[in-house]
Amino acid sequence: MSDETPICSAKGCRAEAVWVLAWNNPKLHTPERRKTWLACEEHREHLSQFLGVRGFLKDVVLLKEWEETR
């Protein structure tokens, strides 16, 4: 991994990110705003559930695809 390698957002994880979890807190953000967390394969489901139960999760996309659309 290089210094530019995206790292998983899970606490304490240093694994390379593979997924982008796009989310929005409707109490703080306008509807079109997307904040992002990065996730490795191991933490994608856990982070998705964390955001999902709060109603924040909007999309889960492969990092490679996310970068291609930006």
Side-chain angles (χ1 to χ4, degrees):
M1 280 191 287
S2 73
D3 289 340
E4 290 128 32
T5 301
I7 301 298
C8 181
S9 298
K11 186 175 181 178
C13 184
R14 302 300 302 153
E16 185 174 350
V18 179
W19 297 95
V20 173
L21 284 64
W23 61 277
N24 168 304
N25 180 340
K27 292 183 181 179
L28 302 175
H29 308 120
T30 58
E32 65 280 350
R33 173 101 188 258
R34 292 295 179 265
K35 304 280 285 181
T36 57
W37 282 357
L38 301 177
C40 64
E41 286 292 348
E42 181 181 348
H43 291 112
R44 181 188 61 83
E45 188 63 33
H46 171 74
L47 293 174
S48 294
Q49 287 179 354
F50 180 89
L51 292 168
V53 298
R54 289 158 179 80
F56 295 173
L57 186 63
K58 301 300 179 191
D59 205 2
V60 178
V61 181
L62 282 168
L63 177 59
K64 178 173 51 175
E65 292 175 9
W66 182 267
E67 291 173 337
E68 290 171 358
T69 63
R70 301 293 165 215

